[in-house]
Amino acid sequence: HISQSKMFQAIPYSVRGACYSYEAVSVKNDMSVRDKHLVVHVSVLRRRIREVRAVRYRERFKRMMRDGEVLSYQGNSDEVGCYVAPRPLSKGNCYFEVTIIDTGVRGMIAVGLVPQYYKLDHQPGWLPHSVAYHADDGKLYNGNTIGQQFGPKCNCGDRIGCGIYLEAFEDGQTTVFFTKNGKEVGTVVVPASPEALYPAVGMHSLGEEVQLDLQVEWGMEKEDGLMIVDSHEDEWGRLHDVRFTGSLLEYMGKGKSIVDVGLAQARLPLNTRCHYYELEITDAGEKCYIALGLARRDYPKNRHPGWSRGSIAYHADDGKLFQGSGVGDAFGPRCFEGDVMGCGIMFPRDYILDSGDDSDDGDSELRPKQQRVQNDLYMNEEEDGEELEGRKVVVFFTRNGKVVGRKEVAVPAGGFYPTIGMMSTGEKVRVDLHPLSG
């Protein structure tokens, strides 16, 4: 049924020579011919704008597969894969992050900013008007295939961020900054305006996989309280996606995937004078993905204790023991809210920590050794494993004051640090790092 006061005209139109379907345009009978043509023209113009926007704001990628927020390399390692986001950075969205899920064969992952129609068979940073931080060598590539030393290398679990400073737009130049695990690595001024800088990710070897977050906000602490990165609270050396209040640790991560680990690591390793610690599960959260154990000092922040080399842990949700592997062994009973889990080391009588320091301030002796091996560890966790292992000790675990089991393990260089992992919403534990003495 058509109202007598209106008639509908089917108007064909084209954009850049391509013919499109007819569009119904409402035109009043009492309009002049000129007004009718104006209405039709406006309608066609609106349709054109919608079509142009659809093309303009379209992500582009090559030799990559996207599954939700996850990007994975799909080439043969001889060719670069590249992803370019649909929209440039802006004052309302000035930062993005990439979490490395898997470094693949060579870990040749690049994160940076490029022009909208950047060539997808080149790594970000290689071509003019692009800039990128490369994970495999820690170098900055600024429109050149030769990089400059810039920051640390990056490994599985690390977060690489890239953003622009809002107050630094002038004369067609923009200050770009890069971060690693929430901490600024460095800045560079590029001769481009923000609207010409699109988030980009490059990969170049089999098995590489990352999680992309184009909506994240950068800062030491998110306004909504979802994350606290690398806090330093008294006895804790590292807190990642964990909030510390008194003796209570609370998981503050997303809890959606295996890289959403909340990690708490003590400032000092266990030693002959402080060889045991405990936690009480005050809230099991959604799935009680709570792990108690020991790990090397530079243990990856997004890996549950026990999953990677240089760590051992007792997991509450399944009662399994994990030692440097994502596959656990049956070990003890599952743990629930109210249970107390403990972990300690039985040191030999003649044991001396390789740092040569049992004092309360062991950082000075330990730090040089960790610096020496840090980049090698990030390159490949399977290589040079022998160098990290020292004397063997017996690690034991308890549940509600009773020993669950023991395991003989080699102590990593620098010692074993009390390390706690959480991975599901609502988890809370109360920790006592000094329940015993002797």
Side-chain angles (χ1 to χ4, degrees), residues 40-95:
V40 172
H41 177 75
V42 170
S43 176
V44 172
L45 182 61
R46 286 175 178 171
R47 182 65 178 268
R48 286 179 178 177
I49 291 173
R50 288 197 299 268
E51 295 292 340
V52 170
R53 283 177 175 173
V55 173
R56 181 179 178 184
Y57 297 120
R58 180 181 299 166
E59 62 185 7
R60 301 170 56 242
F61 53 91
K62 185 177 183 180
R63 301 187 187 97
M64 283 193 188
M65 180 176 70
R66 179 167 185 179
D67 184 6
E69 295 181 341
V70 176
L71 298 174
S72 56
Y73 179 72
Q74 298 295 305
N76 59 12
S77 290
D78 292 329
E79 302 170 311
V80 171
C82 188
Y83 167 91
V84 179
R87 294 177 183 271
L89 292 185
S90 63
K91 290 186 177 181
N93 183 23
C94 61
Y95 179 74

Side-chain angles (χ1 to χ4, degrees), residues 5 36 237 296 310:
S5 63
K36 290 178 181 179
R296 66 181 194 260

Side-chain angles (χ1 to χ4, degrees), residues 118-295:
Y118 191 77
K119 293 183 179 179
L120 299 180
D121 53 357
H122 289 72
Q123 282 275 31
W126 283 2
L127 297 181
H129 312 297
S130 70
V131 62
Y133 178 24
H134 286 222
D136 61 312
D137 56 14
K139 290 183 178 180
L140 180 75
Y141 290 76
N142 189 3
N144 199 310
T145 54
I146 300 175
Q148 300 175 337
Q149 199 56 51
F150 185 66
K153 301 174 185 179
C154 302
N155 195 42
C156 290
D158 285 329
R159 301 190 328 273
I160 303 175
C162 178
I164 54 177
Y165 279 121
L166 301 178
E167 66 276 10
F169 300 163
E170 56 180 64
D171 299 328
Q173 293 189 327
T174 304
T175 299
V176 178
F177 67 91
F178 292 91
T179 67
K180 179 187 175 188
N181 298 326
K183 290 185 176 180
E184 185 176 311
V185 174
T187 62
V188 60
V189 177
V190 297
S193 58
E195 58 268 19
L197 299 173
Y198 287 70
V201 180
M203 300 186 205
H204 201 177
S205 75
L206 293 174
E208 292 172 351
E209 191 172 72
V210 301
Q211 180 175 325
L212 175 67
D213 190 345
L214 294 173
Q215 306 299 324
V216 67
E217 295 181 7
W218 180 68
M220 290 305 294
E221 184 172 335
K222 288 188 175 182
E223 293 181 359
D224 58 7
L226 287 180
M227 184 186 298
I228 294 177
V229 180
D230 286 338
S231 301
H232 295 272
E233 299 282 351
D234 298 326
E235 298 176 323
W236 296 99
R238 291 194 296 163
L239 295 175
H240 171 72
D241 280 6
V242 170
R243 180 166 61 194
F244 177 82
T245 307
S247 60
L248 193 69
L249 296 175
E250 180 179 359
Y251 176 67
M252 303 301 291
K254 298 178 181 178
K256 294 181 179 179
S257 72
I258 62 171
V259 298
D260 294 329
V261 173
L263 193 78
Q265 188 174 70
R267 186 171 62 89
L268 298 175
L270 292 186
N271 54 58
T272 54
R273 291 189 299 174
C274 180
H275 63 274
Y276 177 77
Y277 78 103
E278 288 182 337
L279 69 77
E280 177 188 356
I281 302 175
T282 59
D283 194 327
E286 290 186 359
K287 299 181 180 178
C288 199
Y289 286 159
I290 297 170
L292 166 109
L294 303 169

Side-chain angles (χ1 to χ4, degrees), residues 312 314 319 321 330-333 342-344 346 394-399 402-408:
I312 182 171
Y314 177 26
L321 183 72
F331 185 68
C343 177
M346 295 180 179
V394 175
V395 175
F396 66 96
F397 293 91
T398 66
R399 178 176 179 269
K402 294 182 179 180
V403 175
V404 174
R406 301 174 177 84
K407 183 75 173 181
E408 186 179 57

Side-chain angles (χ1 to χ4, degrees), residues 348-423:
R349 290 183 179 275
D350 60 347
Y351 183 84
I352 299 176
L353 188 65
D354 64 359
S355 67
D357 189 358
D358 261 1
S359 68
D360 289 339
D361 188 11
D363 288 355
S364 60
E365 292 285 349
L366 294 174
R367 193 166 284 140
K369 293 191 176 185
Q370 294 301 328
Q371 290 290 343
R372 179 176 62 84
V373 302
Q374 183 178 12
N375 289 345
D376 289 339
L377 285 173
Y378 284 149
M379 284 289 288
N380 190 340
E381 286 203 345
E382 298 302 322
E383 296 179 1
D384 300 329
E386 296 296 326
E387 294 183 5
L388 286 179
E389 297 183 352
R391 288 193 59 181
K392 289 191 175 182
V393 298
V394 175
V395 175
F396 66 96
F397 293 91
T398 66
R399 178 176 179 269
N400 298 327
K402 294 182 179 180
V403 175
V404 174
R406 301 174 177 84
K407 183 75 173 181
E408 186 179 57
V409 297
V411 179
F416 258 142
Y417 289 73
T419 306
I420 296 167
M422 294 182 275
M423 210 170 63

